[in-house]
Amino acid sequence: MSTHIPRLQGRIRELTLQLAEDPAIVVARVDQVLTDNDSAYATLSPMVKQDVREFLRFSAALWFRTLLDGAPLTEADIHVINDSARRRVHQGLSLTSVLRAVRLGSRELWQTLVELAADDRAARDELLLLFSSYLLDYFDDLSQRMSAAYLDEEFQRTRWRDALRYELLSVIFSFHDDKEAFDRATAALGLDGSVPRVCLALDISMPDVLPSHVEGELDRLVLGVSRVLGVSCNDLVRTAYRDRVVIWVPAVRGDSVLAVDNLMQRQAAGVVASMRNVRRVGIGLMNQGARGWSASLDEAFRALDGGRRLTPGRTVQSFSEMVLNESVLRSATSLRYLDAIVERLSHEPDLLATLGVFLDGGQHRKQTAELLGIHPNTLNYRLGRIEEILGARLDNAGWLARLHVALTLRRASEPDVRPPV
C-alpha cells in the first residue's frame, strides 16, 4: 500500500469525526448489505454474526482513524485483521465470502463519506481527487492480508485434520478395542463417534496424475460423493485402501440396519450413475465404534469382490445379499452338508445348470425352459429328477433357500477367469 496517506480537512473532517466516535450506522449498513448479498452470511449463527459485526466495527473505526490521523496500520491492527480471517476458516465461511465482505464493506464506507459531502462541493472534490485512489489501495491491501491469513489457516487446518484422520484410521485398522483413542480422534475431527456408519468401498478409475496430486483427486472424488449423498464432506471419513477408495458414511441414529442398507443401495446407484470414474460400489452393514467401522469395511470389500464374481453385471453390491452365505461359511458342518448337495447333482451337469437357471429366474418354469432352450416337459423331467436324487421339494421355501446358498457358494469357489475390469 502507498506510504502516503492523505488526511481529511475542513467540513468533511468534522462530519467524519462524528462517525468515528460512533460507527454504529456504518456497521448496520455494511451488515445489512452483506446479509442481502451473500447467503453464507445470512445463515450464520447469532454468535458468529456478532463476531463479524465486532470486526466490522473495528474495520470502520480503523478506516476513519486512517483518514483522520494519516496513520498507517500498526502491528496490533494487522494482528486483529489476521485473527479475524483465521476465524472465518473455522466458522465455515469461504474465502470468496470473506473477500466479498471486504469489497461490499469498502463500498458502503465510501458511500457514507460521499453522502456526508453531498452538499459541500469542496468536500466532494477532496474525496474524489485525494481519497478515491487511496481507498482502492487501502482495501486492496486489506484483502491481500486477509487472503494470506485465511489461506495459511486453511492449509494448517488441512494438515491438522489429515493428522487426526490418520490417527483415527490407525485405530480402525489396528487397535479396534482402544475406545478412548477412537473417541478422542473422532471428537477432535468434530465427529460423533457414537453415530453408526456404513462403509462404502469404491472401485474407481484414477486419472494418471503425479503422486503429489493424488490426495487432491481423492478430495474431489469425496466432494462429488458427498453431493450425491447429501452429506457434508466434513462428515465423511475417507482413505485409500487396497486400490479402492473407502468412505464411512454416517447413518441416521435410530434407523434400522434394513432401512439404512436400502437407502445406501439407492444412493450408491446414484454415485455410479453420476460419477464417471466410479465403476462399482461395495456396501457394508451399518455398525458403530472402531470395531464396527472395521467390520463394515471388511463387509464392503467382501461385497465388492464376491459380487464381481457372482453377478458381474451389477455395479452396486451390498453385503446384505451375502449374509446367508457368510453365515454358512463360518460352519464347517454346514459347508459339508451343502457340498454334499452339489456333489449329488454334479454327476449330471444338465441338472446343475437347470437348477441354477430355475433359481436365478425366480422359479418361473416357462421362463426357465425358454432360457435353457428346452421343452417344458424336459424341464419338468429334470426338476423331478433333482427332487428324486436329493429327496427335495422344489415348492418348499426351506429347500429353495438351501439350494440357492449351495449353488452360490459353488459359483464363488470357481476360478475367476474373466479379465479384470
Side-chain angles (χ1 to χ4, degrees), residues 78-93:
I78 294 172
H79 181 73
V80 173
I81 291 168
N82 289 344
D83 275 357
S84 176
R86 292 179 184 278
R87 287 199 302 278
R88 301 300 171 252
V89 174
H90 303 284
Q91 291 166 347
L93 282 170

Side-chain angles (χ1 to χ4, degrees), residues 208-413:
D208 187 14
V209 296
L210 294 173
S212 58
H213 294 171
V214 170
E215 285 296 312
E217 290 297 326
L218 293 179
D219 286 340
R220 278 187 282 275
L221 174 71
V222 174
L223 177 60
V225 172
S226 74
R227 289 170 176 166
V228 176
L229 301 183
V231 178
S232 168
C233 264
N234 290 333
D235 290 332
L236 301 177
V237 178
R238 62 89 173 160
T239 189
Y241 182 63
R242 285 167 43 188
D243 297 326
R244 271 77 181 259
V245 174
V246 174
I247 302 175
W248 283 274
V249 182
V252 176
R253 196 192 303 272
D255 277 1
S256 69
V257 176
L258 175 62
V260 172
D261 185 66
N262 289 336
L263 174 63
M264 292 310 305
Q265 289 192 49
R266 293 194 297 271
Q267 292 185 326
V271 169
V272 175
S274 60
M275 302 182 66
R276 294 180 180 177
N277 57 335
V278 178
R279 295 181 293 215
R280 297 167 61 248
V281 179
I283 306 172
L285 295 178
M286 180 180 75
N287 215 323
Q288 63 188 109
R291 185 172 292 279
W293 289 33
S294 179
S296 190
L297 166 70
D298 181 63
E299 292 162 357
F301 271 78
R302 285 175 176 270
L304 200 58
D305 295 333
R308 179 177 180 270
R309 182 186 300 274
L310 297 175
T311 51
R314 293 180 55 182
T315 56
V316 174
Q317 306 283 351
S318 175
F319 185 77
S320 62
E321 299 167 338
M322 304 169 59
V323 289
L324 286 178
N325 303 349
E326 292 294 318
S327 298
V328 169
L329 287 172
R330 299 177 191 277
S331 169
T333 303
S334 299
L335 276 174
R336 286 199 302 272
Y337 172 75
L338 295 175
D339 283 342
I341 290 177
V342 175
E343 180 64 25
R344 289 292 302 275
L345 298 177
S346 63
H347 301 294
E348 300 185 44
D350 287 348
L351 297 185
L352 269 180
T354 298
L355 182 60
V357 175
F358 179 68
L359 294 176
D360 292 342
Q363 300 92 59
H364 296 293
R365 299 202 174 208
K366 180 179 179 182
Q367 180 180 341
T368 301
E370 291 175 352
L371 288 172
L372 291 170
I374 61 177
H375 193 276
N377 290 339
T378 304
L379 174 64
N380 292 334
Y381 169 78
R382 291 183 182 178
L383 295 179
R385 179 70 176 147
I386 291 171
E387 290 180 322
E388 179 185 347
I389 292 174
L390 300 177
R393 289 287 304 277
L394 295 181
D395 58 356
N396 179 277
W399 264 109
L400 289 173
R402 278 176 271 172
L403 292 170
H404 178 76
V405 172
L407 284 183
T408 299
L409 293 176
R410 168 65 175 263
R411 291 167 180 169
S413 67

Side-chain angles (χ1 to χ4, degrees), residues 48-202:
V48 177
K49 281 187 176 180
Q50 183 59 36
D51 182 49
V52 171
R53 291 191 192 100
E54 290 298 325
F55 182 69
L56 292 177
R57 180 180 293 276
F58 167 82
S59 298
L62 187 63
W63 167 241
F64 290 137
R65 188 198 75 192
T66 303
L67 296 182
L68 293 168
D69 301 341
L73 299 179
T74 66
E75 289 298 320
D77 296 331
I78 294 172
H79 181 73
V80 173
I81 291 168
N82 289 344
D83 275 357
S84 176
R86 292 179 184 278
R87 287 199 302 278
R88 301 300 171 252
V89 174
H90 303 284
Q91 291 166 347
L93 282 170
S94 67
L95 181 58
T96 300
S97 288
V98 171
L99 296 181
R100 183 182 293 118
V102 174
R103 178 174 58 82
L104 294 175
S106 67
R107 189 185 71 185
E108 291 303 310
L109 286 169
W110 179 250
Q111 185 64 32
T112 301
L113 290 175
V114 171
E115 291 171 1
L116 288 177
D119 299 327
D120 189 326
R121 182 173 181 179
R124 289 201 311 273
D125 289 346
E126 182 181 4
L127 286 176
L128 295 174
L129 296 176
L130 292 179
F131 288 94
S132 58
S133 61
Y134 175 68
L135 170 85
L136 298 176
D137 289 342
Y138 179 89
F139 283 100
D140 181 62
D141 179 69
L142 181 63
S143 294
Q144 290 184 36
R145 292 183 187 278
M146 296 193 75
S147 294
Y150 184 100
L151 292 172
D152 180 66
E153 185 68 14
E154 191 173 50
F155 175 73
Q156 296 298 335
R157 179 190 178 189
T158 299
R159 293 186 63 184
W160 172 74
R161 284 188 65 85
D162 282 345
L164 290 175
R165 183 163 56 86
Y166 293 140
E167 179 182 342
L168 175 60
L169 292 171
S170 176
V171 174
I172 294 169
F173 287 126
S174 305
F175 305 101
H176 303 147
D177 297 321
D178 194 341
K179 184 177 184 304
E180 183 179 344
F182 176 78
D183 290 343
R184 182 175 61 247
T186 51
L189 285 166
L191 304 172
D192 186 345
S194 66
V195 171
R197 287 185 176 251
V198 173
C199 182
L200 302 182
L202 278 62

